[in-house]
Amino acid sequence: MEPGSSCLPLCYENISWRGLSLPRLLNVHILPQTVLYMADSDTFISLEECRGHKRARKRTTMDTALALERLFPEQCHILGIVTPGIIVTPMGSGSSRPQEIEIGESGFALLFPQIEGIKIQPFHFIKDPKNPTLERRRLTEAGLLDNPELRVVLVFGYNCCRVGASDYLQRVIGTFSDLNVIVAGGQVDNLASLTSEKHPLDIDATGVAGLSFSGPRVQSATVLLNEDVSDEKTAEAAMQRLKAAGIPERNTVGFMFACVGRGSQYYRAKGNVEADAFRKFFPGVPLFGFFGNGEIGCDRIVTGNFVLKKCNEVKDDDLFHSYTTVMALIHLGSPK
């Protein structure tokens, strides 16, 4: 695949880290400019080996991240996060059934090529008790401020159980949440990588990372499945709201950010309810995401003429939730 192609990002699932068995990544016929990968906590950290040993845990995480990153071009921007569980559409076609993997080793990588008319930028802000100021210059460099073409922000707070972490996450998001953009994401266990070989990470730090999507060809919509959504009927009703947004489904990827408290236990021991509801209404759109420790998003639409509106009336437009799921569609433009 040549740079500049407007194809949908290639996706790779079921990443197996033990012994670094990644043959599928070695056969990628694309030059990625940006990589977003997500893996469950068991994949990165062997609890039996590392319980109670902070140095061993840190070494395991960094070694795994570095080994993966060496498979990608040196100039590639890589963002990796570690979460309690994974949502992934198996390789093949977008019509494959997406899977909610709540327990067990799992992961995926999304490879974004250079896409004409679209700019994807990673960002990372680390909480510094000695310097609490958020520099406007850094927000602008990440495309989050002074950017009239900003359309979507995927945002992830990590190590959010630490004192002051949630407040810092809300401060960062507060700088751009009132703009006409889609904001979606959640709180995860750790940041595994932001091209870690070039910028060594302190996995015990607290911060905010993500991707910004800019360009007039980008369209997006999100819906919030609140605590009242607890059966197949109400889950499908939420997907109907997302469908009503009218986002083009070709060259589109779906994201699902769910609370770790949902999944099968929330649906009376029935698994894959929300992923199956998404597939019913979007059978050709691949779905990816995670089970995390807090969700970010609400009902919003950014259409082709860049009009921000809500799919339905939301009582509280607060972006931060628990025991909910945020579903998102990101359309990366139609092929010319």
Side-chain angles (χ1 to χ4, degrees):
M1 187 68 61
E2 296 297 324
S5 167
S6 59
C7 76
L8 187 69
L10 295 187
C11 314
Y12 297 84
E13 50 79 41
N14 292 344
I15 298 175
S16 173
W17 303 92
R18 300 297 177 249
L20 199 66
S21 175
L22 292 168
R24 287 174 174 169
L25 284 176
L26 297 176
N27 293 318
V28 174
H29 301 290
I30 190 172
L31 182 61
Q33 185 177 70
T34 306
V35 174
L36 171 63
Y37 73 82
M38 302 183 188
D40 76 293
S41 301
D42 290 343
T43 293
F44 263 76
I45 304 167
S46 172
L47 297 180
E48 293 301 321
E49 296 175 4
C50 303
R51 184 179 289 112
H53 299 283
K54 182 181 292 187
R55 290 183 180 178
R57 179 170 64 89
K58 184 181 297 187
R59 184 174 61 251
T60 300
T61 299
M62 293 305 297
D63 288 349
T64 305
L66 290 173
L68 172 65
E69 290 174 23
R70 292 191 184 103
L71 298 174
F72 296 108
E74 184 176 348
Q75 70 274 17
C76 188
H77 298 290
I78 304 169
L79 171 60
I81 59 176
V82 180
T83 72
I86 292 293
I87 294 94
V88 61
T89 299
M91 283 187 65
S93 68
S95 60
S96 298
R97 184 192 184 199
Q99 300 173 5
E100 298 179 16
I101 304 175
E102 301 177 58
I103 300 175
E105 293 185 11
S106 57
F108 65 85
L110 295 181
L111 280 60
F112 296 91
Q114 180 179 336
I115 305 174
E116 183 180 353
I118 296 176
K119 188 173 185 179
I120 304 174
Q121 295 174 263
F123 60 85
H124 183 206
F125 303 100
I126 302 176
K127 183 176 181 292
D128 183 357
K130 298 180 181 179
N131 183 19
T133 304
L134 286 170
E135 297 182 26
R136 186 178 183 89
R137 173 186 59 83
R138 292 193 59 209
L139 290 163
T140 302
E141 289 175 352
L144 300 174
L145 287 181
D146 303 325
N147 178 10
E149 293 194 338
L150 179 63
R151 298 295 187 264
V152 182
V153 181
L154 295 182
V155 58
F156 315 111
Y158 62 92
N159 284 339
C160 285
C161 61
R162 299 185 183 278
V163 176
S166 293
D167 289 341
Y168 184 72
L169 174 63
Q170 293 186 33
R171 281 185 55 217
V172 172
I173 293 178
T175 62
F176 53 80
S177 63
D178 60 341
L179 303 176
N180 289 336
V181 299
I182 293 291
V183 180
Q187 300 185 29
V188 301
D189 286 345
N190 293 109
L191 177 67
S193 170
L194 194 80
T195 317
S196 60
E197 195 164 19
K198 301 174 185 176
H199 307 285
L201 294 173
D202 180 0
I203 66 169
D204 295 318
T206 292
V208 179
L211 297 175
S212 65
F213 295 76
S214 304
R217 299 173 63 191
V218 177
Q219 297 184 45
S220 185
T222 51
V223 295
L224 175 69
L225 284 67
N226 61 24
E227 294 181 61
D228 294 333
V229 177
S230 57
D231 57 33
E232 293 173 85
K233 183 177 180 180
T234 51
E236 290 181 2
M239 296 309 114
Q240 287 179 322
R241 297 205 313 271
L242 190 58
K243 187 79 171 182
I247 302 299
E249 294 177 29
R250 187 179 180 188
N251 289 352
T252 295
V253 61
F255 288 96
M256 173 177 164
F257 305 116
C259 177
V260 72
R262 290 182 73 91
S264 59
Q265 63 179 337
Y266 204 80
Y267 289 94
R268 299 174 180 84
K270 184 170 184 177
N272 230 66
V273 171
E274 294 175 351
D276 285 343
F278 178 90
R279 183 172 181 245
K280 180 177 179 178
F281 288 88
F282 304 96
V285 178
L287 181 67
F288 302 91
F290 59 72
F291 290 95
N293 304 304
E295 305 77 60
I296 301 167
C298 65
D299 281 31
R300 283 185 174 183
I301 309 170
V302 171
T303 61
N305 57 358
F306 197 41
V307 176
L308 181 69
K309 58 184 178 180
K310 293 181 179 179
C311 300
N312 68 333
E313 290 301 319
V314 179
K315 295 179 181 179
D316 185 358
D317 59 359
D318 179 18
L319 288 170
F320 302 92
H321 311 277
S322 58
Y323 291 101
T324 64
T325 296
V326 173
M327 290 284 193
L329 293 173
I330 302 179
H331 174 65
L332 299 175
S334 300
K336 293 184 177 180

